[in-house]
Amino acid sequence: MASLPFYICFMFILFLTVIAGIAAKRRVKKTSDFTNASGSLTSGMVAGALVGGFVGGTSIVGTGELAFSHGLASLWFTLGGGVAVILLGLFANRFRQLQVETLPELIGLQYGSRAQLGSSIFLSLGMFIQVIAQILAALPFVSVFWQTHLSILALIPALLIIAYVWAGGFMGASIVGTLKTIMLVMLLLGTGVWLWASIDGGTYVRWWQEGRLDLVVPEAGMGWAQGASMVVGIFSTQAYLQPIFASRSAREARSGAITAGMMIILIGLVSAWIGLFMYDAHPELTPREAIPQFFLMHSPDWLAGGAYAIILLSVVMTGAALTLSIATILNRDVIQRYTSRFREDARKLAVSRCLILTIIAISYAIVCWDDQAKILHWAFLAMTLRGVTIFFPVVFYLFHIHPIQSNWAVIAIWGAPVFSLLWTWWLMPVTGIDPIVVSGIWSALALLAGWWYWKREARRDLALKQADAS
């Protein structure tokens, strides 16, 4: 049972973030404030929103869980994610020139309405899968207070996600995310210093000899393909592009994204380090408990309380950012497309909030149905699904490989994620080939075919015009 200093510090951290959320809510006057903060974020707030949106249960609890079981190969999630966020910053100016609120809107402008609908559906599905992972990751942090039925435990993070995103939308995510990022970096940097002082060189040599520092573990499905899925997944996720769109300038977006990318890599490294340490110190633990139990067993009660609050907030903020992005995409690119009943600003805001409730309710039901799944396995599937849907369509646009014949774009955007799901369920266990590879090839080849087809038709039309003129 947690002690009084634990509870005091835990509640104090939550109180600070609630105050920040209330301050954010007062600044939400219209839908653009709720969805992209009306383009007012500084570089620090961009970094806070990106770290707040990315670093959650998958980055901390999931990385520690897999490091406990399989070693340093768990680092692929945060390593790939950090690199991808840095790339977002490098392309910030190009993304901001798009003048769109969602990625499916860009897909619609470039490839047509059918492609836009497919991207909306599969991007939302991919982000929805990761919301499930966030609620799973929160369970060991709420179970420390009392042991009760799973349905009660899972309800707590679900309600917290709703509260944070409902209150201030993207403005709330940015302000609370910045505060949480500062606390999280201080916590994990301090933890890293403690681990460095506590672990001797012989331990690292033994880990190396045991293969626990290997980055590729085939039996766990961990390797370069997972890093690639993170890069394409982050690059294709509304939640991580929204801070770029919401920044004051491309320069603010660039410096904020690069800072966030470095923080994400560092946070993942410390989380994996904790998992390795806990496997040696307490091999009897359930892998998912590696991070939570580390702070309970190896830190003062007041620090454990603060750590639990900060990491729980990380889980909640990531879930909130993803949920807000799903609601934004479904509202703007699906509902508003087929009806004009909700185009008034107040109604549009109400629809976004109703979608948030629906998304969390379904996620909660799935967690109650299956709470034993590995957190990062859900996360990598989510990234793969999002990445194969629009990574190559966006890259083709950024590098000016267009126009592309619309039918081929539809084949790429609808076909790749469906092929990815089928491959994951039926062929990956047989072939051992990650779906990111085969689905990525499908998408790229379909788009290249569409580009070649358009060029061929353009040459044919030109030849006909020249023949008519002569």
Side-chain angles (χ1 to χ4, degrees):
M1 188 68 180
S3 66
L4 183 60
F6 179 99
Y7 283 118
I8 291 173
C9 197
F10 182 90
M11 296 306 298
F12 177 71
I13 297 295
L14 289 185
F15 176 75
L16 285 180
T17 56
V18 167
I19 294 299
I22 292 172
K25 184 177 181 180
R26 291 179 178 175
R27 297 172 63 181
V28 176
K29 304 299 183 184
K30 54 186 184 296
T31 304
S32 60
D33 292 332
F34 191 81
T35 57
N36 68 3
S38 295
S40 63
L41 302 189
T42 64
S43 60
M45 293 177 73
V46 169
L50 285 168
V51 176
F54 182 89
V55 176
T58 47
S59 305
I60 301 174
V61 183
T63 299
E65 177 186 38
L66 275 191
F68 186 96
S69 301
H70 303 292
L72 204 59
S74 65
L75 198 60
W76 281 110
F77 186 84
T78 50
L79 181 60
V83 169
V85 168
I86 291 171
L87 289 175
L88 286 182
L90 297 179
F91 285 97
N93 190 52
R94 183 70 171 145
F95 278 119
R96 286 175 56 81
Q97 290 174 355
L98 301 179
Q99 296 297 313
V100 295
E101 190 171 320
T102 68
L103 281 172
E105 188 179 355
L106 166 65
I107 298 298
L109 291 173
Q110 294 300 312
Y111 305 109
S113 59
R114 289 181 298 164
Q116 179 176 352
L117 180 61
S119 66
S120 298
I121 292 172
F122 289 112
L123 281 182
S124 297
L125 179 59
M127 288 187 285
F128 171 75
I129 291 172
Q130 198 166 352
V131 172
I132 296 170
Q134 300 309 311
I135 297 177
L136 281 171
L139 296 180
F141 287 94
V142 295
S143 64
V144 71
F145 299 103
W146 66 88
Q147 296 295 324
T148 186
H149 193 270
L150 172 67
S151 61
I152 302 298
L153 291 179
L155 190 61
I156 296 171
L159 291 175
L160 285 173
I161 290 173
I162 292 171
Y164 277 108
V165 74
W166 187 288
F170 195 77
M171 183 67 77
S174 303
I175 293 175
V176 178
T178 301
L179 177 62
K180 184 217 71 176
T181 297
I182 294 170
M183 294 187 293
L184 182 64
V185 170
M186 291 174 61
L187 172 69
L188 292 180
L189 280 177
T191 301
V193 171
W194 184 86
L195 286 170
W196 182 262
S198 301
I199 300 175
D200 58 36
T203 301
Y204 295 108
V205 172
R206 177 169 54 80
W207 285 347
W208 178 269
Q209 292 171 342
E210 293 173 350
R212 292 184 61 76
L213 298 185
D214 292 347
L215 288 177
V216 177
V217 181
E219 61 269 23
M222 301 297 293
W224 69 267
Q226 281 64 48
S229 73
M230 289 303 302
V231 173
V232 301
I234 293 293
F235 224 70
S236 309
T237 301
Q238 179 71 24
Y240 309 122
L241 279 174
Q242 234 161 319
I244 304 299
F245 296 148
S247 60
R248 289 180 178 175
S249 66
R251 182 177 179 180
E252 299 272 7
R254 186 178 303 108
S255 75
I258 292 172
T259 301
M262 298 302 294
M263 288 181 181
I264 287 167
I265 294 171
L266 177 62
I267 288 168
L269 182 60
V270 175
S271 300
W273 205 356
I274 293 173
L276 289 164
F277 171 82
M278 290 299 284
Y279 179 78
D280 277 4
H282 306 281
E284 75 283 356
L285 289 176
T286 302
R288 190 180 296 172
E289 296 178 341
I291 299 287
Q293 290 298 322
F294 170 81
F295 288 104
L296 281 181
M297 295 178 175
H298 297 279
S299 65
D301 289 348
W302 65 268
L303 181 58
Y308 265 58
I310 293 167
I311 297 174
L312 182 58
L313 282 170
S314 299
V315 174
V316 169
M317 289 306 303
T318 300
L322 292 166
T323 303
L324 177 61
S325 294
I326 298 170
T328 301
I329 289 173
L330 293 179
N331 190 4
R332 184 179 179 87
D333 299 319
V334 179
I335 294 174
Q336 302 298 331
R337 179 182 170 193
Y338 291 106
T339 179
S340 59
R341 294 180 59 188
F342 305 105
R343 290 182 181 173
E344 182 184 329
D345 205 61
R347 290 187 176 184
K348 193 185 295 185
L349 186 59
V351 169
S352 289
R353 285 173 166 161
C354 287
L355 286 170
I356 288 165
L357 288 175
T358 303
I359 293 160
I360 297 301
I362 298 173
S363 302
Y364 166 77
I366 292 174
V367 168
C368 292
W369 173 60
D370 179 18
D371 68 315
Q372 298 303 314
K374 291 284 187 182
I375 296 167
L376 279 190
H377 289 172
W378 278 100
F380 282 126
L381 175 61
M383 289 296 179
T384 297
L385 193 61
R386 297 192 315 247
V388 300
T389 301
I390 65 167
F391 176 74
F392 280 111
V394 171
V395 167
F396 273 47
Y397 169 78
L398 291 175
F399 288 95
H400 304 286
I401 308 174
H402 57 80
I404 290 171
Q405 206 274 338
S406 61
N407 288 335
W408 284 101
V410 169
I411 291 171
I413 290 170
W414 282 87
V418 171
F419 188 34
S420 177
L421 290 172
L422 295 176
W423 189 277
T424 299
W425 291 330
W426 290 327
L427 295 176
M428 184 178 173
V430 177
T431 63
I433 300 174
D434 196 273
I436 190 72
V437 178
V438 291
S439 300
I441 291 173
W442 172 297
S443 178
L445 290 179
L447 292 169
L448 286 172
W451 184 47
W452 174 83
Y453 184 87
W454 179 86
K455 291 182 71 175
R456 189 188 70 172
E457 292 297 310
R459 286 195 298 267
R460 181 183 299 173
D461 291 344
L462 180 61
L464 289 174
K465 289 179 181 179
Q466 290 175 342
D468 292 341
S470 62

